[in-house]
Amino acid sequence: MRFRSLLAAGCVMLMAPAMAFSVTPAVRAPATQPSIEEWGVFDQSFSGPSAGNPFADIELSARFFSATESVTVRGFYDGQSQYRIRFMPGSLGKWSYITQSNCDRLAGLTGSFQCVAATGENHGPVRVAHIHHFAYADGKPFVPIGTTCYSWVQEPDEIEEETLASLRASPFDKVRMCLLPGKKTPLFYPYVRDAQGKFDPARFNPEFFRHLETRIEQLGRQGVEADLILFHPYHKGEMQWFDDLDDAADDRYLRYVVARLGAYRNVWWSLANEYGQVKNKTDADWDHFFQVVESADPYGHSRSIHNSAKIYDSNKPWVTHASIQNGSAVADFGRAVLYRELWPKPVVYDEVCYEGNIDRRWGRLSGREMVERFWLGTIAGTYVGHGETFSNSKGISWTGEGGELMGQSPARLGFLRKILESGPTDGIEPIDETYETHFGGKAGEYYLVYFGTEKPTAWKFSLPRDPPNKNALREGMKFHVDVLDTWNMTITPVDRVFTTGKLAESVFPADGDAMVPLPGTPDMALRIERIK
Amino acid sequence: MRFRSLLAAGCVMLMAPAMAFSVTPAVRAPATQPSIEEWGVFDQSFSGPSAGNPFADIELSARFFSATESVTVRGFYDGQSQYRIRFMPGSLGKWSYITQSNCDRLAGLTGSFQCVAATGENHGPVRVAHIHHFAYADGKPFVPIGTTCYSWVQEPDEIEEETLASLRASPFDKVRMCLLPGKKTPLFYPYVRDAQGKFDPARFNPEFFRHLETRIEQLGRQGVEADLILFHPYHKGEMQWFDDLDDAADDRYLRYVVARLGAYRNVWWSLANEYGQVKNKTDADWDHFFQVVESADPYGHSRSIHNSAKIYDSNKPWVTHASIQNGSAVADFGRAVLYRELWPKPVVYDEVCYEGNIDRRWGRLSGREMVERFWLGTIAGTYVGHGETFSNSKGISWTGEGGELMGQSPARLGFLRKILESGPTDGIEPIDETYETHFGGKAGEYYLVYFGTEKPTAWKFSLPRDPPNKNALREGMKFHVDVLDTWNMTITPVDRVFTTGKLAESVFPADGDAMVPLPGTPDMALRIERIK
């Protein structure tokens, strides 16, 4: 069957081994592109056969090699006889490629480009750094202040543009978004229909993906990571079918997605939203999907999976960070850190209920509750995600469809982001988390103390020793204190220097039992920085 | 070498396969023992060679078989030319055995006994039941109210007897105890010394083990599970050597321990205390030790490992339950349940700081704080362990050496134990743990509501729906309420019946918004039971 369709498509299939590349010099090699930024997208199309089913029948990949590296990436069929290879170079200098294919027209094609230094806000893809944190490939810390707009790329153009504008004006630098459409009628479907009007799981719709890619590129230019949710349980009607494919079709979908989108530096892979609710998928399926994505993606984009009741085992080696739905874990002190202690990976509480006013208890946090959850997560050395359920005049909500941000939390999360971006470059670590649940920071250097709903009128200066870094904090160190109003977004310096006194069991009180005056209002925090 | 020592010992070693048992009828078979209770200890000794090093040179095991089962257990050398096989039968009827050995004098020995029904307080070994809970083999629920006496079996006889008496008068039904001696000079060492006075890692001291076995048996008769800690980092002086053996010696130690002790039904295996602190052991070592114990133990005794900073991955299949050191996790609402949600296994917070008065912060909980931690763990569907640091007139403390219990918590933990033992036989489950952190119980049947340090004067009756059991609780159900004073150990029935009204989103308030009067004091709880 397959052999026949390839012949019908005008291919001479290379027989053995199927993916060996032709050694014949390619005469149809496209022109060399002059230069691509490091972590930019090298994108090259090739003409090829369109008969049969190119999505299923034609295998295409390219080996890219520089003086010191070799990376193989899969290509994809982009419709209308066009095949495409995308590649994100991760080091400077000349890169060359040669294609491999089971179709002779697409095999052995070669080309090259020059990889030049990144410019502007191109810092490369985000990766795990310092165990529990993130950084761009160029080393710049990445502090995720994420939000959720599940279906924003399934909306009319003006709404999508509004979403982009809202993000531009917001502090959010990561957005969780579903790749597959769900409950509404989208502009584009990821699959095309067959003659009977039914979706064909073996034929993708390039238009759907080109639209998505445009949006991902735009997010990238705005400095927003696209945390792409690959499966979800929210399909309705004929779209239910999207998460009920057979194994081969699931794998083909994942490989097609990675081949198309993997070269965009701001892509993250979230295997699923509420994975336990996705029909007809087993625990073994999720393990397998992770492995398919991991092996298809030569760039090592972040990989996680989001839970409903059952939490996926983040110890598994293909999980780069834990993506947790649990509002309670960041609703009070001493909770968020418990998960962090289990895994040598970042913990992102991606869903912690939403700011809003709907009559469901997961969708009616006040703005201050949302902000508090971010701070509680932060001092525990974890990250938190935002969402909003307010329905706007068009009847849509930020977390459902995007559009406008209406809540009170985003401005305050911008304040938090600024605090964190001016903090330790290796992230906020919990400090003596078993006994001192209000402290995060970097031992001996920098502390955040958060008070939540408490309304202290003063705080007796005292810094706990960090058990794993016992000698980082010592007697006689000098500190500056800023009082942070996390709600009113003010930073008030305290006009005196605090000096650590003698160790008292596990804490260093200040010389003279010095006090930090506080206004007796909630949502206060302290930033305590060592003076060197 | 080894072959020679066996010859010297008067053995004819069976060569191939080494462990094949002789088919020659054994003429030296010992007399049949008349009867052994189910889950009792069948214990049979055999004379054998004493030359060479019987601990290392002689392999002995026995296959026990009933009409339907076959179980192979390892024997052990017990000194003075005596070899011993112990076996715990797990089903009624006739059991026969035949020995296997690489020494012909010990191979092919046969015998049999009758296994009769258990009597009295013999309920068999404790196993995991209902995912997050425990039960004896006969189905009786086991509610662990554990304590810790690390070195109690290394003490003078009168102290050890005092410990047993204290346990008898206490609510504790599980004791965490180190097998290997540590900081002090014990009466017995687990190894014997060589001619140079140094411990010989290849020669165990049977006297040490016989003493330990006596104490384990006594615990068993008192209804106390012996949670045996197999490695720990608290050795001093020449005992440091005990956790710095080579791999073969570690395995020999574990197999010897399991061969000697596995037949005692009240044994649990705790691979280590603060495993991360044990010198010269890697993560791979702990995985391996678990597997050695698991494969040597045909009875499936509980297996766990206790952490310091780094928590062992309880997802690993050889872990039967999580044994956690973390006082903070049970120091406030909403924390303990987070670990429980991760693992389909019981979670036992075995070390949560100790009741006491020492100047270390892990050793100065008040009695009420200790009791509160048990209740906070309980309503989260987890279990908590007790410990005490008060130093008595002999200069020893309960958790260090045993002796006398001096704290205020044990009596109150006895009250808790009685509440739990009269509660649901399948254990306390959290009820809607993400939103209702004060509730535990069994949806629709039984609820515990705990208030901790809060001092309510009344509580508006309202029961949350349990998300996984949405239909267990319905409108129109009738409930009886008891007010529990967890500190003063009183149960005060509320003299009215509460009937659930209409569902309000996720909770059922009582008809007429009925209130439960409360005294305005701390440490109160409610027991709410359905009237059928």
Side-chain angles (χ1 to χ4, degrees), chain B residues 21 47 117 270 305 323 362 381 397 413 456 470 494 516 522 526 529:
Chain B
F21 57 85
S47 290
S270 173
I305 189 166
S323 170
W362 47 261
S397 75
L413 302 180
K470 281 207 170 173
V494 179
V516 175
L526 302 174
E529 291 176 283

Side-chain angles (χ1 to χ4, degrees), chain B residues 18 23 76-77 103 112 115 167 205 210 213 243 251 284 376 391 393 402 423 440 444-445 447 464 470 484 523 531:
Chain B
V23 291
F76 59 92
Y77 184 60
C103 169
S112 63
C115 177
L167 284 171
N205 177 8
R210 280 194 288 269
E213 287 152 10
D243 64 48
D251 290 3
L376 286 167
S391 190
S393 57
E445 300 294 327
Y447 299 86
K470 281 207 170 173
L484 311 179
D523 305 312
I531 304 165

Side-chain angles (χ1 to χ4, degrees), chain A residues 311 313 315 326 328 333-335 338-339 341-343 353 359-362 364 432 434-435 505-506, chain B residues 311 313 315 326 328 333-335 338-339 341-343 353 359-362 364 432 434-435 505-506:
Chain A
I311 296 178
D313 179 3
N315 280 305
N326 191 324
S328 181
F333 293 92
R335 298 180 186 175
L338 293 174
Y339 283 164
E341 287 173 2
L342 290 181
W343 306 310
C353 302
D359 67 351
R360 303 296 293 274
R361 56 188 182 167
W362 48 261
R364 60 177 182 228
D432 196 9
T434 315
Y435 292 92
E505 187 176 3
S506 60
Chain B
I311 297 177
D313 179 4
N315 280 307
N326 191 323
S328 181
F333 293 92
R335 298 181 185 175
L338 293 174
Y339 283 164
E341 287 173 3
L342 291 180
W343 307 309
C353 301
D359 67 352
R360 304 297 293 274
R361 55 189 182 165
W362 47 261
R364 58 178 184 229
D432 196 8
T434 315
Y435 293 92
E505 187 175 4
S506 60

Side-chain angles (χ1 to χ4, degrees), chain A residues 225-422:
Chain A
E225 302 294 304
D227 199 353
L228 283 175
I229 297 164
L230 303 179
F231 291 100
H232 67 74
Y234 315 121
H235 307 291
K236 281 208 170 153
E238 61 183 349
M239 287 187 277
Q240 281 184 19
W241 166 89
F242 295 163
D243 65 46
D244 195 16
L245 303 180
D246 62 26
D247 292 351
D250 281 335
D251 291 2
R252 187 168 51 230
Y253 160 69
L254 292 173
R255 293 202 180 99
Y256 190 77
V257 165
V258 176
R260 288 202 74 117
L261 307 178
Y264 295 100
R265 62 177 171 270
N266 62 320
V267 157
W268 298 29
W269 311 120
S270 174
L271 271 286
N273 215 62
E274 298 196 312
Y275 80 94
Q277 304 291 326
V278 180
K279 280 183 199 155
N280 307 314
K281 300 279 184 275
T282 65
D283 286 358
D285 286 333
W286 297 112
D287 293 352
H288 172 75
F289 295 153
F290 263 110
Q291 292 170 72
V292 168
V293 170
E294 183 180 35
S295 72
D297 168 13
Y299 314 110
H301 289 295
S302 297
R303 290 179 302 274
S304 69
I305 189 167
H306 168 274
N307 63 288
S308 50
K310 188 173 171 187
I311 296 178
Y312 189 84
D313 179 3
S314 287
N315 280 305
K316 292 186 175 175
W318 40 77
V319 177
T320 59
H321 67 281
S323 170
I324 304 286
Q325 173 178 189
N326 191 324
S328 181
V330 286
D332 207 346
F333 293 92
R335 298 180 186 175
V337 78
L338 293 174
Y339 283 164
R340 196 192 117 115
E341 287 173 2
L342 290 181
W343 306 310
K345 302 180 182 182
V347 175
V348 185
Y349 292 99
D350 268 311
E351 188 178 343
V352 298
C353 302
Y354 305 128
E355 182 180 357
N357 59 358
I358 62 172
D359 67 351
R360 303 296 293 274
R361 56 188 182 167
W362 48 261
R364 60 177 182 228
L365 290 185
S366 68
R368 81 149 297 284
E369 286 171 320
M370 176 59 80
V371 174
E372 180 179 42
R373 287 176 186 210
F374 269 76
W375 276 88
L376 287 167
T378 295
I379 59 167
T382 67
Y383 297 97
V384 179
H386 161 272
E388 233 185 67
T389 58
F390 296 110
S391 191
N392 75 2
S393 58
K394 295 168 188 145
I396 61 172
S397 76
W398 175 256
T399 285
E401 296 85 9
E404 57 186 313
L405 278 160
M406 301 168 72
Q408 294 185 291
S409 64
R412 282 79 188 183
L413 302 180
F415 178 76
L416 170 62
R417 181 172 164 183
K418 275 187 198 143
I419 296 291
L420 295 178
E421 288 181 343
S422 65

